[in-house]
């Protein structure tokens, strides 16, 4: 600054920002050692500020804590003197927790805040230092990969740019906030740049903020915590049972010999005995005074559950002493881990069980044990960051997993499951004006509780989650899951359920019940919690205290002669209440044994033989909305409750197919639990995806295959597997939007591809293929206005079924498609394709063919069977689905029910002595019906067209945007051998069959050969310019040449213009002309031989030169640019035939020669995509929109062409010529149909794939309300008035480019945001563009 000539060092005001990090490696060490390191770091910061204070005049210094922005966590480094790097190095090596990190960071902040509050740097009028909060809860360099932040370097850079923006605005805004009122900020809320106000025009300092230092506050509050927290035991009878009891329901306190505990920092005892204000000491785990397991001193000085029990049995073992982490000897059987969440408890159980087994003092089989589990605070403190991960369902599942382990591995155990407290009450202490609590630290420790605004949705959701944690914990215990043995039980101790914030006599929050961080319990609270827990243990079920107030005097209760036992449901004569949402079932089957010897045939498979269960499908199987009680929760996937694959709780409470199978084989694996998407670990082998269609099933099957092969719990080759597949709802919901794509032929082909994968790759499997559900009955829920269903969501949920009139064409189409889907599946399975060996079969379960909607007493649909959207089933509905599926699985093939009444009282069937196996065609003695004679061979590739309006415009249009098909007088074409129709006669590759060319051929009629001219001749029989025959003389205006590349197009354009200009048959100026251009295949095929000549840049330049010629010289022209096809699919075709491979490699070496996954192949694929994208950008750039009588339109049907397959799933070569590169007459006919349909479809809704299926009725007709060939403008992407150039367009042209290049899903969302009036049309665009994922050609 002194050397800079642009500034006056002495007189210019300077703003200097100092970033520092509260880094420290000592988080797991003793607090004294940590304190030394913090002081060392503070001295380094102080030296920097001292230097600035001494040497820089007129300076405002921002001090920003950048700890959250660093990649290392608390690394104590001395950057100025590397020789002293070990000076303050920690000598301890054990790990540290998030709790350690947060407290250390706060301690460092607290230290430097006190330094600044001392006014050390406010002695001069021209210098100050002001602390400014920084960006919170984010790591810029590592990101949050699990949540999708940092995935690629590009994403990383974009994330960094976003974070830097937030940092800049946040820093500026805080500079305008008074000291003491500054707030940290995060990336979740968009920040607005603030302005200085007239009242406060200055940057805020300590002085002009009138800030009162906390150093001046009184420190007289709080009595010393050094008081004694002992208790008097008033109990007379302290003796054990006469003999060691064998039942947990006859257990006296003195019978307990082992005590243990699991949980988090509240059980670990963090800060329990810390002195007031010593926040750093909260890192110390005072396990010896922990409420549920501490054993310091004795009951006269330290009240804990262990010390109470020691008064009954002085030989008690397992209690913790002193301080230390769970790994120390002092911890004993206190295996709670600071910072742990419910998902970590199973690991604690494993550690506890191992310690018990290895402790020579413990007889695991005969010693009675009491184990207290208290967990969940950290889940709630973080739930807002990941509501799915910390959902009540996942919380309960984690508890269930831990309790299941104890139930299975620990005999003679009484487990206290302490209900989670109402954590929102912590907000009272945080907001109290009179407390000296470290409020920033409190927010760091529990942001989701303390950062939420009063009455906000975030706070309401916290309270809802908290209650659901408590309710589902109760439901888990009351399910009876842990009352199956006489020597084990789990008892819920609810004393904290409705606990309130303890108050002083003045009615203010009493911080003496808390450790110095005002988050953890002080010893005062530990003592009260121990008393309350003890009393809960002696209170009978149904009468337990659930609102213990900590400030009340708690007198210890005693066992008495009448009630001497620890209370359980049984000795309390307590019957678990029937839960309103208990959808369990009874299974009365006597024979639940597996086959002996083990089954070797899928047709001899008993339920107990099934070791692995899996499922594929859509939202029905993913469990969308099963337990939702409001629409906003419909994004939750309750996989643990899913009818065909869920495994939550047990059959007594939740009826699902896996829970039924677990009654036969408790070791079955694969079922899903809790909530989450298909990639979550709890999903396991439930690979269903909400929104999935049949086209997505093969990918699900491959994912399932990968999971089964790699999971250590599964013997892939040896275990019998049951795989349930159900799909088709989303296909039917979108059928009316694109009948071709969702045709029965395509649907069955995708099902076949999925089953083929399973048949080929999965040994020992029975695939249960559930019939496509008839969705039409669901209309009852949306057409009856008296039914309280969200009718406004009908279009979103399933527009083709739930909207429209009862007799509309859309419903007729869906009704016919449903039947066609069902018939097609039956034909596929009954072909015997999947019955080629004894260890695999596919069985259709047809009960969803004819579902019956449940009706209430008022005759209206009973909504209790549905989730809030009235479309997905609720848990009640899923239970019925599961029962029907189980019964179907057992039924013989020819006796399966094909209808389903949701309200029926479905009793679970049992295998019988005569029919003990899962039903297959073979063990049902069922013979597949013989396949009827095949259809007659197709004689031609013509089409039928029955458009009601085929007349020209009433007057010759002057605008290309009002051009009807019948207005076209002249047709022409440019291109290469695809346009000369090489190979149209499949075996003849030497002849140009121009008369059969898809875009310009005119041989025959539309009824015998589908070409664009033959279609147009239906509208204008006097069309001029089409080719006939195979000679050059009859080529008409087809100037394409075999072997042509993009650089030949301008010459062809000149030739075409001159031919038209000189023709006596046309009026060059007045006649409307249609020209189709397709080129680029030869450029791509030769790209690797000369990358400069065939570069993307050159390709687009040649295309531009060609269009410039037409734009300049051709009046009244409509130009189709057909997007170059994705050539990589040719590799699959050539691979299917040795002869193809040899011929095609000579035709297209750059695509067909490279090895699979080679860099050469990846490069040519990228170039292919770049050809498409750059050409699209040129067309939509606006370059050719200055004339009213001229338009260029991209027709994208080749972008993602589906590879045609035959009935065996192999490439169908009937679409190709002998060289497997050019098309046959059949293939050219498909191109003509796709081109015509593209011309009818608005820009933004054009089909971007070509469906190779023979259907004479695929051709679309012009719409009566808009009978024109589609252009950008008449599709709504330009202003109708071409002269309004300065007017903001209704939708900018770049929206079209983005929509097509980036994928129409993104594009449709972008366009929807800009122009909602076309939302319906863009929904169709979204649906059709999903096919990018399909096999491409």
């Amino acid at each position: 600054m002194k050397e800079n000539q642009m500034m006056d060092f002495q007189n210019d005001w300077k703003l200097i920002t100092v970033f520092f990090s509260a880094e420290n490696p000592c988080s797991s060490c003793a607090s004294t050692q940590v304190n030394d390191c913090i002081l060392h770091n503070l001295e380094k910061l102080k030296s920097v500020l001292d230097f600035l204070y001494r040497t820089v005049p007129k300076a405002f210094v921002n001090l920003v804590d950048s700890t959250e922005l660093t990649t290392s966590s608390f690394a104590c480094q001395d950057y100025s003197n590397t020789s002293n790097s070990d000076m303050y190095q920690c000598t301890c090596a054990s790990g540290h927790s998030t709790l350690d990190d947060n407290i250390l960071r706060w301690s460092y902040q607290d230290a430097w805040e006190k330094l600044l509050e001392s006014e050390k740097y406010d002695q001069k009028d021209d210098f100050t230092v002001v602390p400014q909060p920084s960006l919170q809860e984010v790591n810029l360099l590592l990101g949050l990969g699990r949540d999708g932040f940092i995935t690629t370097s590009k994403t990383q850079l974009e994330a960094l740019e976003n974070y830097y923006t937030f940092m800049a605005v946040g820093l500026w805004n805080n500079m305008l906030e008074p000291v003491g009122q500054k707030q940290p900020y995060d990336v979740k809320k968009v920040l607005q740049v603030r302005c200085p106000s007239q009242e406060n025009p200055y940057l805020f300092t300590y002085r002009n903020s009138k800030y009162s230092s906390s150093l001046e506050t009184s420190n007289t509050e709080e009595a010393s915590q050094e008081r004694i927290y002992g208790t008097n035991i008033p109990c007379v009878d302290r003796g054990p049972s006469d003999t060691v009891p064998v039942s947990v329901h006859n257990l006296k306190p003195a019978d307990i010999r082992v005590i243990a505990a699991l949980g988090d920092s509240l059980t670990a005892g963090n800060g329990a005995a810390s002195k007031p204000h010593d926040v750093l000491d909260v890192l110390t785990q005072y396990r010896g005074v922990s409420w549920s397991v501490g054993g310091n001193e004795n009951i006269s000085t330290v009240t804990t559950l262990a010390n109470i029990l020691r008064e009954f049995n002085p030989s008690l073992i397992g209690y913790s002493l002193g301080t230390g982490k769970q790994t120390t000897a002092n911890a004993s059987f206190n295996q709670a881990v600071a910072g742990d969440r419910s998902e970590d408890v199973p690991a604690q159980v494993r550690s506890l069980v191992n310690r018990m087994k290895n402790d020579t003092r413990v007889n695991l089989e005969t010693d009675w044990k009491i184990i207290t589990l208290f967990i969940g605070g950290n889940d709630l403190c973080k739930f807002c960051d990941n509501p799915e991960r910390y959902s009540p369902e996942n919380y309960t599942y984690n508890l269930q997993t831990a309790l299941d382990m104890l139930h299975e591995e620990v005999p003679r155990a009484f487990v206290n499951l302490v209900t989670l407290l109402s954590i929102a009450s912590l907000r009272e202490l945080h907001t109290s004006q009179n407390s000296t609590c470290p409020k920033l630290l409190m927010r760091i420790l529990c942001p989701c509780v303390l950062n939420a605004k009063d009455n906000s949705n975030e706070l309401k959701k916290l309270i809802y989650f908290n209650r659901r944690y408590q309710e589902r914990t109760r439901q888990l215990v009351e399910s009876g899951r842990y009352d199956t043995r006489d020597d084990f039980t789990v008892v819920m101790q609810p004393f904290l359920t409705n606990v309130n914030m303890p108050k002083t006599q003045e009615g203010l929050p009493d911080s003496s019940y808390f450790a110095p961080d005002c988050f953890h319990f002080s010893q005062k609270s530990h003592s009260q919690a121990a008393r309350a827990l003890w009393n809960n243990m002696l209170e009978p079920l149904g009468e337990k205290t659930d609102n213990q107030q900590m400030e009340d005097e708690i007198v210890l209760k005693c066992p008495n002669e009448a009630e001497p036992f620890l209370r359980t449901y049984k000795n309390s004569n307590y019957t678990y209440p029937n839960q309103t949402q208990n959808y369990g079932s009874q299974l009365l089957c006597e024979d639940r044994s597996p086959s002996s010897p083990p089954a070797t045939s899928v047709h001899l498979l008993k339920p107990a033989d099934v070791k692995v269960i899996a499922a594929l499908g859509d939202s029905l199987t993913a469990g969308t909305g099963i337990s939702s009680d409001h629409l906003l929760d419909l994004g939750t996937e309750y996989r643990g409750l899913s009818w065909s694959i869920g495994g939550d709780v047990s059959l007594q409470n939740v009826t699902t197919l896996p829970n039924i199978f677990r009654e036969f084989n408790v070791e079955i694996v694969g079922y899903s639990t809790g909530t989450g998407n298909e990639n979550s670990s709890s999903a396991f082998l439930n690979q269903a995806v909400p929104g999935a269609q049949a086209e997505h099933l093969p990918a699900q099957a491959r994912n399932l295959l990968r999971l089964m092969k790699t999971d250590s719990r599964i013997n892939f080759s040896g275990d019998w597997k049951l795989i349930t597949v159900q799909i088709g709802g989303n296909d039917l919901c979108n059928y009316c939007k694109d009948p071709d794509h969702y045709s029965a032929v395509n649907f069955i082909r995708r099902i076949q591809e999925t089953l083929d994968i399973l048949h080929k790759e999965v040994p020992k499997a029975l695939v249960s293929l559930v019939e496509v559900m008839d969705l039409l009955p669901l209309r009852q829920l949306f057409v009856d206005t008296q039914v309280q269903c969200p009718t406004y969501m009908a279009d979103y949920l399933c527009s083709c079924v739930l909207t429209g009139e009862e007799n509309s064409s859309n419903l007729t189409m869906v009704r016919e498609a449903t039947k066609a889907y069902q018939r097609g599946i039956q034909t596929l399975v009954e072909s015997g394709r999947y019955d080629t060996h004894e260890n695999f079969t596919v069985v259709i379960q047809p009960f969803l063919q004819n579902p019956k909607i449940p009706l209430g007493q008022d005759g209206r649909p009973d909504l209790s069977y549905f989730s809030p959207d009235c479309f997905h089933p609720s848990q009640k509905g899923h239970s019925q689905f599961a029962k029907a599926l189980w019964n179907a699985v057992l039924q013989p093939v020819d006796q399966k029910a094909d209808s389903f009444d949701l309200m029926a009282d479905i009793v679970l069937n049992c295998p019988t002595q005569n029919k003990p196996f899962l039903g297959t065609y073979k063990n049902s003695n069922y013979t597949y019906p013989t396949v009827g004679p095949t259809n007659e061979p197709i004689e031609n590739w013509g089409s039928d067209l029955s458009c009601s309006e085929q007349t020209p415009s009433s007057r010759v249009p002057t605008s290309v945007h009002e051009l009807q098909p019948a207005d076209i007088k002249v047709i022409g074409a440019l291109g290469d051998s695809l346009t000369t129709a090489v190979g149209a006669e499949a075996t003849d590759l030497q002849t140009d069959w121009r008369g059969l060319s898809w875009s310009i051929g005119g041989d025959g009629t539309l009824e015998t050969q589908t070409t664009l001219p033959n279609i147009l001749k239906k509208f204008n029989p006097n069309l001029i310019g089409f080719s006939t025959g195979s000679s050059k003389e009859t080529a008409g205006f087809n100037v394409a040449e075999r072997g042509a590349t993009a650089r030949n197009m301008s010459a062809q354009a000149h030739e075409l213009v001159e031919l038209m200009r000189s023709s006596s048959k046309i009026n060059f100026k007045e006649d409307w002309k249609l020209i189709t251009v397709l080129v680029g295949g030869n450029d791509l095929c030769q790209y690797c031989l000369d990358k400069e000549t065939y570069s993307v840049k050159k390709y687009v330049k040649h295309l531009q030169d060609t269009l410039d010629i037409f734009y300049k010289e051709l009046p009244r022209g409509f130009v189709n640019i057909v997007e170059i096809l994705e050539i990589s699919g040719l590799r699959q075709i050539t691979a299917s035939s040795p002869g193809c491979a040899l011929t095609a490699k000579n035709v297209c070496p750059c695509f067909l020669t490279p090895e699979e996954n080679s860099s050469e192949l990846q490069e040519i694929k990228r170039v292919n995509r770049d050809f498409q994208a750059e050409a699209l950008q040129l067309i939509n750039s606006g370059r050719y929109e200055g004339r009213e009588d001229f338009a260029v339109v991209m027709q994208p049907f080749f972008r993602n062409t589906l590879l045609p397959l035959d009935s065996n799933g192999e490439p169908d070569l009937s679409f190709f010529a002998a060289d497997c590169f050019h098309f046959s007459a059949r293939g050219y006919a498909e191109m003509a149909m796709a081109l015509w349909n593209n011309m009818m479809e608005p820009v933004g809704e054009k089909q971007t794939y070509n469906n190779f299926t023979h259907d004479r009725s695929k051709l679309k007709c012009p719409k009566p309300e808009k009978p024109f060939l589609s252009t950008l403008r008449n599709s709504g992407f330009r202003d109708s008035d071409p002269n309004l150039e300065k007017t903001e367009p209704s939708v900018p042209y770049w929206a079209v480019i983005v929509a097509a290049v980036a994928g129409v899903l993104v594009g449709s969302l972008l366009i929807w945001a800009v122009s909602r009036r076309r939302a319906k049309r863009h929904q169709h665009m979204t649906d059709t563009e999903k096919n990018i994922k399909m096999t491409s050609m």
Side-chain angles (χ1 to χ4, degrees), residues 1189-1210:
D1189 70 339
F1190 188 88
V1192 181
V1193 180
M1194 179 65 79
Q1195 311 296 3
F1197 67 88
F1198 255 153
R1199 186 182 302 162
N1200 304 288
T1201 302
L1202 295 176
L1203 183 67
L1205 305 175
D1206 61 20
S1207 59
N1208 296 317
E1210 300 296 329

Side-chain angles (χ1 to χ4, degrees), residues 970-973 994-995 1000-1002 1024-1029 1031-1040 1055-1056 1059-1060 1063 1065:
V970 183
I971 192 167
R994 294 175 186 267
I1000 189 72
I1024 298 170
F1026 53 82
S1027 308
T1028 57
S1031 69
K1032 185 72 172 174
E1033 289 73 24
T1034 58
F1037 293 147
N1038 180 352
V1039 297
E1055 180 183 356
L1056 179 59
L1059 279 174
M1060 290 183 174
S1063 174
K1065 297 181 180 180

Side-chain angles (χ1 to χ4, degrees), residues 1150-1202:
C1150 296
F1151 254 108
L1152 303 179
T1153 302
E1155 296 294 326
E1156 201 65 40
N1157 299 319
S1158 64
S1159 59
E1160 293 84 358
L1161 181 59
Q1162 297 308 313
E1163 180 184 13
I1164 193 65
K1165 286 183 177 180
R1166 177 186 56 77
V1167 172
N1168 197 158
R1169 292 192 296 269
D1170 288 348
F1171 270 33
Q1172 294 175 332
E1174 294 299 325
L1176 181 65
Q1177 181 125 2
L1178 169 66
I1179 303 310
N1180 291 326
S1181 66
R1183 184 181 182 89
Y1184 305 109
E1185 296 176 36
R1187 284 172 43 191
E1188 187 68 14
D1189 70 339
F1190 188 88
V1192 181
V1193 180
M1194 179 65 79
Q1195 311 296 3
F1197 67 88
F1198 255 153
R1199 186 182 302 162
N1200 304 288
T1201 302
L1202 295 176

Side-chain angles (χ1 to χ4, degrees), residues 716-727:
F716 184 67
S717 60
D719 289 345
W720 280 105
K721 309 161 194 75
L722 177 66
I723 304 172
T724 303
V725 180
Q726 203 285 325
I727 201 76

